[in-house]
Amino acid sequence: MSSAQRRARICARFAHRDIAEAFGPVKDLDAGGRAWRRDSLASTFRDYRDARAMGVGADWREALTDAAATGRIDLAEYDGDLETARDTLLHGAIWEFVTTPDGVAILDTCAA
């Protein structure tokens, strides 16, 4: 699976979860509510894709490498050491490493 495919799948999963929590079951919504839900789902997906998902990968190392490749992190600050970068980022409590069925995502918790 390519990084773009993984990013889309993971972001879609997070967006669906958030919207399901906010709106409840689709069957309980009227036509206007379903339209509002659909628009919110698209917006939430874009938010995860463009701002919140800093990196994605099959594991945390690949996710950090993806974050560096997309310019969202500078591994040079950590002398290229992925473990040091991960430990530092987790200690700062701004980024969260989340394991999903589609891989690992690094989420910016401040972008929410």
Side-chain angles (χ1 to χ4, degrees), residues 60-68 73 75 82 85-86 89 97 106:
W60 65 267
R61 286 176 178 82
E62 194 174 295
L64 271 175
T65 303
D66 178 63
I73 183 176
L75 287 178
L82 295 178
R86 179 177 182 263
L89 293 171
F97 289 73
I106 304 171

Side-chain angles (χ1 to χ4, degrees), residues 6 9-11 13-14 17 48 55-63 86 90 95-107:
R6 187 179 311 276
R9 290 179 65 133
I10 288 173
C11 291
R13 182 178 301 275
F14 287 133
R17 179 203 62 200
Y48 272 104
V56 296
D59 60 23
W60 65 267
R61 286 176 178 82
E62 194 174 295
R86 179 177 182 263
L90 286 174
W95 288 15
E96 180 180 11
F97 289 73
V98 180
T99 302
T100 74
D102 297 306
V104 173
I106 304 171
L107 298 180

